[in-house]
Amino acid sequence: FLPETIISLEARLVCVWPSFPATMEVNLVSCPGIPAEAILSVRAGVTRRQAPISAGKPLRFPKIDGDQLLKVDILNKVGGGYVVLKPNTDGQAK
């Protein structure tokens, strides 16, 4: 995607009784030019949530007091693989 691509997010507080305190939901409103397989990553305080752009579901965070900076990243998969851990007899993984 292009560096000048602009995404639009919506954040709101949601209060569902009796699960006080309220939580914060972040929704992706629009993301022109970003591939559907890209990952939306949002951090609020010490909590990070990630989901595919195509998921269309809100990211939920614990209630945050006062002004809060949201760190937003768009991630694109470059590669992947698996790692198999085999425990040693002493309990350590190789």
Side-chain angles (χ1 to χ4, degrees):
F1 58 92
L2 302 173
E4 63 269 8
T5 299
I6 297 174
I7 65 168
S8 178
L9 295 173
E10 168 188 76
R12 65 186 177 122
L13 289 179
V14 177
C15 187
V16 179
W17 191 84
S19 65
F20 291 105
T23 59
M24 181 177 61
E25 287 186 355
V26 175
N27 289 295
L28 181 65
V29 177
S30 68
C31 56
I34 297 178
E37 64 273 5
I39 303 293
L40 173 65
S41 176
V42 179
R43 189 186 64 186
V46 297
T47 305
R48 178 178 296 277
R49 300 283 187 255
Q50 296 179 329
I53 295 279
S54 59
K57 295 183 179 180
L59 301 176
R60 292 185 175 89
F61 295 87
K63 183 176 184 291
I64 298 165
D65 296 323
D67 292 345
Q68 183 64 52
L69 178 68
L70 293 180
K71 169 77 166 125
V72 179
D73 292 306
I74 304 296
L75 310 172
N76 203 4
K77 185 175 182 177
V78 175
Y82 294 94
V83 175
V84 178
L85 298 178
K86 296 184 179 185
N88 255 344
T89 55
D90 63 358
Q92 300 290 324
K94 282 188 179 180

